[in-house]
Amino acid sequence: MAKNDVKVLGAWPSTFVMRPRIALNIKSVNYEFLEETFGSKSELLLQSNPVHKKIPVLIHGDKPICESMIIVEYIDEVWTSGPSILPSDPYDRAIQRFWAAYVDEKWFAAMRGLRIAQGEERKAFLDQVTEGLALLEEAFGKCSKGKAFFGGDRIGLLDIAFGSLLGWLRVTEKVGKVKLLDEAKTPGLVKWAESFCADAAVKSIMPETEKLIEFSKLLMAQMKGAPPPKN
Amino acid sequence: MADEVVLVDTWVSMFGMRVRIALAEKGIKYEYKEEDLCNKSKLLLKINPIYKKIPVLIHNGKPVCESLIIVQYIDEVWNDRSPLMPSDPYPRACARFWADFVDKRVYDVAKKVWTTKGEEQEAAKKEFIEAFQILERQLGDHPYFGGERFGFVDLSLIPFYSWFYAYETFGNFSIEAECPKIIAWAKRCLQKDSVASTLPDEKKVYECVVQMRKRFGVE
């Protein structure tokens, strides 16, 4: 598949953009990464995602695919010669999808709240984040069955959904001076995070914590002026 | 070995209706357990401890939660009949996108139409119509969102039709006036047994919403 047949529209700091990139790396698919300029939306983005106007967008030939986890499933279904991202058993697939949706709908919102909020409100978000991590630790035990990843021996759907958040999790730990992944409380997730970040499909695209911290200052400044860029 | 299929649900839930339509499309026999959401059962709290919500499908003792995840599960297990998803990856991705659109852009704003008043309600009505106008454009001239056949997106959206009378009454507007193609599509879907036997009577839904508004303190 020629490189310019597969494009990813996105931005390097974005959790959601990491997901299709990891999936394409797992499948050894070459792609062109088209970076959006911070603070504006390109014509190509507005044309290929007119409904939500958000990144990431995968453009395969002339077909745009939107929404990060939908893109990941698409990648898994198209490039069948590479390692599978979803398990083959329908029940296992349902469990992976359930937790991926939980990460996006519940846990991500709590993480974002934790980064921004102050005082009592911040404490409430911290409790939600910590409770969520306890649930995910338990889910990891059940899904991994003693192996390195939620997907077993290899990175799977839920690893991608949750692992893509590790960059910003580290930012929150450093800037917020709080320990979220903890050897005592979430030992499974601590080891998993190391394995995930070290994986060949992830290493080259996981943003460095310091760079994300610098970027988050830009984001905060923009938030004070205009509505924050959505992912 | 006979499959044991149980659905924990509540009759008025559009999310539950999605699962019931899917089960009917596939001709799957199941036990239905009606849940009282004001007094959640021990069973519900055990099978969906994270969200404590319906619907939950229990297949041979194993619970599956979240309506669209359940529908995909049903499609993948009973894959020998009445496919709910397209077979090619690109149309499948599109189907997932539009079902996700219904969840993100229709449900919350529809709820605001019957739970709010004044300016907030007017804003919700505007967003509601916009969302359905986008869906109308997506439908185009096809009989269904799935093209020639009723599919995943149709199943995700049609349950909301049983709530239209309630939205229109509380919101004081006509959905047909704004989105006639959506109404035509809905009536087409209702000709299918799986939909007609699942969707509750709109007046019964309205009565239920009247009670819910009292509980929410909207009146």
Side-chain angles (χ1 to χ4, degrees):
Chain A
M1 173 70 63
K3 195 173 178 175
N4 54 14
D5 278 343
V6 185
K7 300 181 173 72
V8 173
L9 287 190
W12 68 266
S14 163
T15 290
F16 300 101
V17 170
M18 272 192 75
R19 291 164 173 181
R21 296 180 75 193
I22 295 170
L24 290 166
N25 286 349
I26 287 171
K27 301 285 189 179
S28 304
V29 173
N30 285 327
Y31 65 94
E32 196 182 345
F33 184 45
L34 299 173
E35 285 224 61
E36 290 287 305
T37 311
F38 177 65
S40 72
K41 293 180 197 244
S42 69
E43 264 311 301
L44 183 58
L45 174 59
L46 298 175
Q47 266 170 38
S48 47
N49 191 357
V51 173
H52 298 306
K53 306 178 176 54
K54 290 182 187 177
I55 50 166
V57 182
L58 179 80
I59 306 178
H60 184 199
D62 58 354
K63 300 189 289 249
I65 300 105
C66 308
E67 294 299 296
S68 62
M69 295 314 293
I70 293 175
I71 300 172
V72 171
E73 292 216 30
Y74 173 81
I75 290 168
D76 198 35
E77 289 172 8
V78 169
W79 286 281
T80 50
S81 58
S84 290
I85 293 172
L86 271 100
S88 50
D89 176 74
Y91 188 72
D92 293 337
R93 290 159 75 89
I95 295 296
Q96 296 261 321
R97 286 174 177 143
F98 174 86
W99 285 109
Y102 170 82
V103 165
D104 273 354
E105 282 150 35
K106 287 269 169 167
W107 197 73
F108 179 79
M111 275 292 285
R112 187 159 50 190
L114 180 59
R115 278 212 310 276
I116 303 167
Q118 311 275 349
E120 275 306 305
E121 217 190 10
R122 185 174 185 275
K123 187 174 182 304
F125 283 123
L126 181 58
D127 287 341
Q128 281 176 41
V129 167
T130 315
E131 275 163 30
L133 286 171
L135 289 172
L136 287 158
E137 173 78 12
E138 203 189 319
F140 178 72
K142 289 187 184 150
C143 294
S144 66
K145 301 183 176 78
K147 305 236 168 106
F149 301 107
F150 285 92
D153 282 318
R154 280 193 304 256
I155 284 178
L157 187 87
L158 180 50
D159 298 282
I160 295 174
F162 185 31
S164 55
L165 279 145
L166 285 170
W168 283 102
L169 185 147
R170 300 262 180 255
V171 168
T172 308
E173 284 184 324
K174 199 157 182 188
V175 173
K177 297 185 175 57
V178 60
K179 201 145 197 254
L180 297 173
L181 289 185
D182 185 306
E183 277 90 1
K185 293 186 192 154
T186 57
L189 291 182
V190 168
K191 268 191 92 177
W192 162 80
E194 276 169 29
S195 307
F196 182 82
C197 293
D199 191 273
V202 175
K203 221 165 35 182
S204 58
I205 56 173
M206 175 66 79
E208 289 165 31
T209 311
E210 287 307 320
K211 286 206 172 122
L212 279 179
I213 291 175
E214 280 310 303
F215 177 77
S216 74
K217 292 176 185 163
L218 258 181
L219 257 186
M220 286 295 205
Q222 201 206 45
M223 267 174 69
K224 292 193 163 89
K230 288 189 186 166
N231 13 27
Chain B
M1 187 192 80
D3 273 316
E4 196 198 49
V5 183
V6 179
L7 176 63
V8 180
D9 192 2
T10 183
W11 68 271
V12 74
S13 161
M14 56 280 263
F15 301 105
M17 287 178 221
R18 291 168 168 176
V19 179
R20 280 177 260 151
I21 294 171
L23 290 165
E25 282 285 304
K26 299 279 190 179
I28 297 164
K29 290 194 166 45
Y30 63 98
E31 184 193 341
Y32 180 85
K33 286 189 196 279
E34 177 74 20
E35 188 67 33
D36 175 4
L37 294 180
C38 298
N39 186 17
K40 293 182 182 181
S41 69
K42 282 203 183 96
L43 175 65
L44 180 59
L45 301 179
K46 185 176 139 200
I47 58 180
N48 192 355
I50 310 296
Y51 297 113
K52 306 174 178 53
K53 285 185 182 175
I54 52 88
V56 184
L57 188 82
I58 315 176
H59 183 207
N60 295 330
K62 296 198 289 201
V64 185
C65 307
E66 296 296 289
S67 63
L68 295 180
I69 293 175
I70 299 171
V71 170
Q72 289 184 84
Y73 174 81
I74 289 169
D75 203 36
E76 289 170 11
V77 171
W78 288 275
N79 58 7
D80 56 342
R81 63 193 101 151
S82 306
L84 301 170
M85 292 282 277
S87 47
D88 282 340
Y90 185 66
R92 285 165 75 85
C94 294
R96 289 181 176 128
F97 175 89
W98 286 105
D100 177 67
F101 177 91
V102 173
D103 276 357
K104 285 189 164 104
R105 295 271 284 261
V106 174
Y107 179 71
D108 287 331
V109 78
K111 192 169 179 183
K112 283 191 181 161
V113 169
W114 64 269
T115 55
T116 65
K117 289 175 170 173
E119 267 180 46
E120 211 184 335
Q121 192 191 45
E122 288 305 310
K125 278 160 62 177
K126 187 164 173 282
E127 268 191 70
F128 180 96
I129 292 298
E130 272 167 16
F132 274 97
Q133 283 171 341
I134 292 173
L135 285 163
E136 253 195 348
R137 283 198 292 277
Q138 178 57 25
L139 181 63
D141 293 323
H142 297 119
Y144 301 104
F145 286 93
E148 294 305 309
R149 295 185 52 229
F150 180 88
F152 191 62
V153 182
D154 303 280
L155 177 160
S156 304
L157 184 62
I158 192 60
F160 286 82
Y161 183 68
S162 63
W163 282 64
F164 275 13
Y165 178 73
Y167 300 142
E168 288 175 319
T169 309
F170 291 116
N172 190 29
F173 69 131
S174 161
I175 298 170
E176 182 155 22
E178 307 280 355
C179 305
K181 275 188 173 172
I182 289 290
I183 302 299
W185 159 81
K187 290 181 176 163
R188 193 175 300 128
C189 290
L190 270 163
Q191 286 171 17
K192 291 179 66 62
D193 282 338
S194 59
V195 178
S197 63
T198 296
L199 261 58
D201 177 76
E202 60 183 13
K203 301 267 166 43
K204 289 205 170 115
V205 173
Y206 171 75
E207 289 306 322
C208 183
V209 177
V210 166
Q211 297 306 317
M212 282 160 81
R213 274 165 61 100
K214 288 189 183 141
R215 279 204 303 274
F216 272 98
V218 182
E219 288 300 335

CSV table of all heavy atoms in Angstrom, one decimal, chain B residues 20 23 35 37 49-50 64 66 85 100 106 111 119 121 130 133 144 149 151 153 158 165 191 197 200 212 217-218:
chain,number,residue,atom,x,y,z
B,20,ARG,N,-33.9,-5.1,21.9
B,20,ARG,CA,-35.1,-5.9,21.6
B,20,ARG,C,-35.3,-6.0,20.1
B,20,ARG,O,-35.7,-7.1,19.6
B,20,ARG,CB,-36.4,-5.3,22.3
B,20,ARG,CG,-36.5,-5.6,23.8
B,20,ARG,CD,-37.7,-4.9,24.4
B,20,ARG,NE,-37.2,-3.7,25.1
B,20,ARG,CZ,-38.0,-2.7,25.3
B,20,ARG,NH1,-39.2,-2.6,24.8
B,20,ARG,NH2,-37.6,-1.6,26.0
B,23,LEU,N,-32.7,-8.5,18.8
B,23,LEU,CA,-33.1,-9.9,19.1
B,23,LEU,C,-34.3,-10.4,18.3
B,23,LEU,O,-34.3,-11.5,17.8
B,23,LEU,CB,-33.5,-10.0,20.6
B,23,LEU,CG,-32.4,-9.8,21.6
B,23,LEU,CD1,-32.9,-9.5,23.0
B,23,LEU,CD2,-31.4,-11.0,21.6
B,35,GLU,N,-37.1,-3.8,34.7
B,35,GLU,CA,-36.4,-3.2,35.9
B,35,GLU,C,-37.1,-2.0,36.3
B,35,GLU,O,-37.5,-1.2,35.5
B,35,GLU,CB,-35.0,-2.9,35.4
B,35,GLU,CG,-34.0,-2.5,36.5
B,35,GLU,CD,-33.7,-3.6,37.5
B,35,GLU,OE1,-33.6,-4.8,37.2
B,35,GLU,OE2,-33.4,-3.2,38.7
B,37,LEU,N,-36.4,1.4,37.6
B,37,LEU,CA,-35.2,2.2,37.8
B,37,LEU,C,-35.2,3.1,39.1
B,37,LEU,O,-34.2,3.6,39.5
B,37,LEU,CB,-34.9,3.1,36.6
B,37,LEU,CG,-34.6,2.3,35.3
B,37,LEU,CD1,-34.4,3.2,34.1
B,37,LEU,CD2,-33.4,1.4,35.5
B,49,PRO,N,-22.3,-3.2,37.6
B,49,PRO,CA,-21.9,-2.4,38.8
B,49,PRO,C,-21.3,-1.1,38.4
B,49,PRO,O,-21.3,-0.1,39.2
B,49,PRO,CB,-20.8,-3.3,39.4
B,49,PRO,CG,-20.3,-4.2,38.3
B,49,PRO,CD,-21.5,-4.4,37.4
B,50,ILE,N,-20.8,-1.0,37.2
B,50,ILE,CA,-20.1,0.3,36.8
B,50,ILE,C,-21.1,1.4,36.6
B,50,ILE,O,-21.0,2.5,37.1
B,50,ILE,CB,-19.3,0.1,35.5
B,50,ILE,CG1,-18.4,-1.1,35.6
B,50,ILE,CG2,-18.5,1.4,35.1
B,50,ILE,CD1,-17.3,-1.0,36.6
B,64,VAL,N,-23.5,-8.5,29.2
B,64,VAL,CA,-23.0,-7.5,28.2
B,64,VAL,C,-23.8,-6.2,28.4
B,64,VAL,O,-25.0,-6.2,28.4
B,64,VAL,CB,-23.1,-8.0,26.8
B,64,VAL,CG1,-22.5,-7.1,25.8
B,64,VAL,CG2,-22.6,-9.5,26.6
B,66,GLU,N,-24.2,-1.8,27.7
B,66,GLU,CA,-24.2,-0.7,26.7
B,66,GLU,C,-24.9,-1.1,25.4
B,66,GLU,O,-24.4,-2.0,24.7
B,66,GLU,CB,-22.7,-0.2,26.4
B,66,GLU,CG,-22.0,0.4,27.6
B,66,GLU,CD,-22.7,1.7,28.0
B,66,GLU,OE1,-22.6,2.7,27.3
B,66,GLU,OE2,-23.3,1.7,29.1
B,85,MET,N,-25.1,-5.4,10.6
B,85,MET,CA,-24.0,-4.5,10.2
B,85,MET,C,-23.7,-4.9,8.7
B,85,MET,O,-23.8,-6.0,8.3
B,85,MET,CB,-22.7,-4.8,11.0
B,85,MET,CG,-22.8,-4.4,12.5
B,85,MET,SD,-22.7,-2.6,12.7
B,85,MET,CE,-20.9,-2.4,12.7
B,100,ASP,N,-23.0,6.3,16.6
B,100,ASP,CA,-22.4,7.1,17.6
B,100,ASP,C,-22.9,8.6,17.6
B,100,ASP,O,-23.1,9.2,18.6
B,100,ASP,CB,-20.8,7.1,17.3
B,100,ASP,CG,-20.0,7.9,18.3
B,100,ASP,OD1,-20.0,7.6,19.5
B,100,ASP,OD2,-19.5,8.9,17.8
B,106,VAL,N,-28.0,13.3,19.7
B,106,VAL,CA,-29.5,13.3,19.8
B,106,VAL,C,-30.0,13.1,21.2
B,106,VAL,O,-30.8,13.9,21.7
B,106,VAL,CB,-30.1,12.2,18.9
B,106,VAL,CG1,-31.6,12.1,19.1
B,106,VAL,CG2,-29.8,12.5,17.4
B,111,LYS,N,-33.3,14.9,25.7
B,111,LYS,CA,-33.6,14.9,27.1
B,111,LYS,C,-33.9,16.3,27.6
B,111,LYS,O,-34.8,16.6,28.4
B,111,LYS,CB,-32.5,14.2,27.9
B,111,LYS,CG,-32.9,13.9,29.3
B,111,LYS,CD,-31.8,13.1,30.0
B,111,LYS,CE,-32.3,12.8,31.5
B,111,LYS,NZ,-31.3,12.1,32.2
B,119,GLU,N,-35.4,29.5,27.8
B,119,GLU,CA,-34.3,29.6,26.8
B,119,GLU,C,-33.5,28.3,26.6
B,119,GLU,O,-33.1,28.0,25.5
B,119,GLU,CB,-33.3,30.7,27.3
B,119,GLU,CG,-33.6,32.1,26.8
B,119,GLU,CD,-32.6,33.1,27.3
B,119,GLU,OE1,-31.3,32.8,27.3
B,119,GLU,OE2,-33.0,34.2,27.8
B,121,GLN,N,-34.7,25.3,26.9
B,121,GLN,CA,-35.4,24.4,26.1
B,121,GLN,C,-35.4,24.9,24.6
B,121,GLN,O,-35.3,24.0,23.7
B,121,GLN,CB,-36.9,24.4,26.6
B,121,GLN,CG,-37.7,23.2,26.0
B,121,GLN,CD,-39.2,23.4,26.3
B,121,GLN,OE1,-39.8,24.4,26.1
B,121,GLN,NE2,-39.8,22.2,26.6
B,130,GLU,N,-31.5,20.5,14.4
B,130,GLU,CA,-30.2,20.5,13.6
B,130,GLU,C,-29.7,19.1,13.4
B,130,GLU,O,-29.3,18.6,12.3
B,130,GLU,CB,-29.2,21.3,14.2
B,130,GLU,CG,-29.2,22.8,13.8
B,130,GLU,CD,-28.4,23.7,14.7
B,130,GLU,OE1,-27.5,23.2,15.5
B,130,GLU,OE2,-28.6,24.9,14.7
B,133,GLN,N,-31.8,17.2,11.0
B,133,GLN,CA,-31.6,17.6,9.7
B,133,GLN,C,-30.3,17.0,9.1
B,133,GLN,O,-30.2,16.7,7.9
B,133,GLN,CB,-31.6,19.2,9.6
B,133,GLN,CG,-32.9,19.8,9.7
B,133,GLN,CD,-33.0,21.3,9.9
B,133,GLN,OE1,-32.0,21.9,10.3
B,133,GLN,NE2,-34.1,21.9,9.6
B,144,TYR,N,-33.5,3.3,3.8
B,144,TYR,CA,-33.0,3.2,5.2
B,144,TYR,C,-31.6,3.8,5.3
B,144,TYR,O,-30.9,4.0,4.2
B,144,TYR,CB,-32.9,1.7,5.6
B,144,TYR,CG,-34.2,1.0,5.5
B,144,TYR,CD1,-34.5,0.1,4.5
B,144,TYR,CD2,-35.2,1.2,6.5
B,144,TYR,CE1,-35.7,-0.6,4.4
B,144,TYR,CE2,-36.4,0.5,6.5
B,144,TYR,CZ,-36.6,-0.4,5.4
B,144,TYR,OH,-37.9,-1.0,5.3
B,149,ARG,N,-31.5,-1.9,2.9
B,149,ARG,CA,-31.9,-2.8,4.0
B,149,ARG,C,-31.8,-2.0,5.4
B,149,ARG,O,-30.9,-1.2,5.6
B,149,ARG,CB,-31.1,-4.0,4.1
B,149,ARG,CG,-31.2,-4.9,2.9
B,149,ARG,CD,-30.4,-6.2,3.0
B,149,ARG,NE,-30.8,-6.9,4.3
B,149,ARG,CZ,-29.9,-7.3,5.1
B,149,ARG,NH1,-28.6,-7.2,4.8
B,149,ARG,NH2,-30.2,-7.9,6.2
B,151,GLY,N,-30.8,-1.5,9.0
B,151,GLY,CA,-29.5,-2.0,9.6
B,151,GLY,C,-29.2,-1.3,10.9
B,151,GLY,O,-30.1,-0.7,11.6
B,153,VAL,N,-27.7,1.5,11.9
B,153,VAL,CA,-28.1,2.9,12.2
B,153,VAL,C,-29.6,3.1,12.4
B,153,VAL,O,-30.0,3.8,13.3
B,153,VAL,CB,-27.6,3.9,11.1
B,153,VAL,CG1,-27.9,5.3,11.4
B,153,VAL,CG2,-26.0,3.7,10.9
B,158,ILE,N,-34.4,4.5,15.5
B,158,ILE,CA,-35.9,4.3,15.4
B,158,ILE,C,-36.5,4.3,16.8
B,158,ILE,O,-37.7,4.9,16.9
B,158,ILE,CB,-36.3,3.1,14.6
B,158,ILE,CG1,-37.8,3.1,14.3
B,158,ILE,CG2,-35.9,1.8,15.2
B,158,ILE,CD1,-38.3,4.3,13.6
B,165,TYR,N,-43.7,12.1,20.1
B,165,TYR,CA,-45.0,12.7,20.6
B,165,TYR,C,-44.7,13.5,21.9
B,165,TYR,O,-45.2,14.6,22.1
B,165,TYR,CB,-46.1,11.7,20.7
B,165,TYR,CG,-47.4,12.3,21.3
B,165,TYR,CD1,-48.2,13.0,20.5
B,165,TYR,CD2,-47.8,12.0,22.6
B,165,TYR,CE1,-49.4,13.6,21.0
B,165,TYR,CE2,-48.9,12.6,23.1
B,165,TYR,CZ,-49.7,13.3,22.3
B,165,TYR,OH,-50.9,13.9,22.7
B,191,GLN,N,-43.1,-0.7,9.6
B,191,GLN,CA,-43.7,-1.7,8.8
B,191,GLN,C,-43.0,-3.1,9.1
B,191,GLN,O,-43.5,-4.1,8.7
B,191,GLN,CB,-43.7,-1.4,7.3
B,191,GLN,CG,-44.8,-0.3,7.0
B,191,GLN,CD,-44.7,0.2,5.6
B,191,GLN,OE1,-44.0,-0.5,4.7
B,191,GLN,NE2,-45.3,1.3,5.3
B,197,SER,N,-43.3,-4.5,16.8
B,197,SER,CA,-43.6,-5.3,18.0
B,197,SER,C,-42.8,-4.8,19.2
B,197,SER,O,-43.0,-5.2,20.4
B,197,SER,CB,-43.3,-6.8,17.8
B,197,SER,OG,-41.9,-6.9,17.5
B,200,PRO,N,-43.1,1.0,21.9
B,200,PRO,CA,-44.3,1.2,22.7
B,200,PRO,C,-45.2,2.3,22.1
B,200,PRO,O,-44.7,3.1,21.3
B,200,PRO,CB,-43.8,1.6,24.1
B,200,PRO,CG,-42.5,2.2,23.8
B,200,PRO,CD,-41.9,1.6,22.6
B,212,MET,N,-42.2,11.2,34.9
B,212,MET,CA,-40.8,11.4,35.1
B,212,MET,C,-40.5,12.9,35.4
B,212,MET,O,-39.7,13.2,36.2
B,212,MET,CB,-40.0,10.9,33.9
B,212,MET,CG,-39.8,9.4,33.8
B,212,MET,SD,-39.4,8.8,32.2
B,212,MET,CE,-37.7,9.1,32.1
B,217,GLY,N,-38.9,17.1,39.0
B,217,GLY,CA,-39.3,18.4,39.5
B,217,GLY,C,-39.3,19.5,38.4
B,217,GLY,O,-39.1,20.6,38.7
B,218,VAL,N,-39.6,19.0,37.2
B,218,VAL,CA,-39.6,20.0,36.1
B,218,VAL,C,-40.9,20.9,36.1
B,218,VAL,O,-40.9,22.0,35.7
B,218,VAL,CB,-39.6,19.2,34.7
B,218,VAL,CG1,-39.6,20.2,33.6
B,218,VAL,CG2,-38.4,18.3,34.6
